[in-house]
Amino acid sequence: MSVRRITFSTTRSAAYWLILFIALWLLLAGNAGWYLGLPSAIAATLVALRLQLAPLPIRPLALPQFITRFLLAAISGGWDVARRALHPRLPIAPDWVDYPVRSNHRQVRLLLSSLVGLLPGTLAIGIEEDRLRLHVLDVGSDWQRQVAALESSLCRLFGDSEP
């Protein structure tokens, strides 16, 4: 068994991942259950270091705008689905659609496919080449503009040139 040398880069990566996983726990668990959250954050950090995952190149100045857009999208998405479910005639026109992903940035594409489900009436099922395959509750809604705005916000967050 070889002993790995601890470098500044490794320490910085460890701090980055630990802070990220603790922040995620805070966000998801609301400052509760630290008996489970702290060991989970430490284990996830060790896995990230073992896999030699590089810290994500996030632009801190773009983070507040992204968080605001993320929270508004989540609230709007929940409200829209609840409204449609409670409406007497259930106003939906579901369909499978393709969104042309313009960014080539790996993290942007991955997070876009993960977060698009928070937008009103949308759910991603995967990315094929440069197309994000979506199921939308109302094909006549403005889903294209909303997905494009989320993609642009992610591009700013990761310092990618905006599509």
Side-chain angles (χ1 to χ4, degrees), residues 19-145:
I19 290 168
L20 177 69
F21 292 131
I22 286 174
L24 285 173
W25 186 264
L26 272 170
L27 181 67
L28 297 173
N31 201 23
W34 282 106
Y35 61 91
L36 182 61
L38 189 58
S40 297
I42 292 169
T45 299
L46 292 174
V47 169
L49 292 174
R50 178 76 173 132
L51 294 174
Q52 298 178 348
L53 298 178
L56 300 174
I58 294 174
R59 294 175 57 208
L61 294 177
L63 194 57
Q65 180 196 20
F66 174 75
I67 290 172
T68 301
R69 181 177 300 276
F70 176 82
L71 292 174
L72 289 174
I75 292 167
S76 174
W79 177 258
D80 182 68
V81 171
R83 180 184 62 83
R84 290 176 193 277
L86 297 174
H87 192 279
R89 285 181 269 155
L90 194 63
I92 63 172
D95 202 359
W96 294 100
V97 296
D98 289 325
Y99 171 78
V101 179
R102 295 178 297 270
S103 175
N104 290 321
H105 196 278
R106 196 176 110 224
Q107 280 91 0
V108 168
R109 294 168 79 91
L110 178 64
L111 280 173
L112 180 63
S113 67
S114 298
L115 297 177
V116 78
L118 294 173
L119 298 175
T122 59
L123 180 65
I125 61 162
I127 296 179
E128 296 173 11
E129 297 175 10
D130 289 335
R131 296 177 302 120
L132 179 61
R133 187 76 169 146
L134 300 169
H135 182 268
V136 295
L137 280 182
D138 185 1
V139 73
S141 69
D142 197 11
W143 64 268
Q144 298 98 332
R145 184 187 58 77

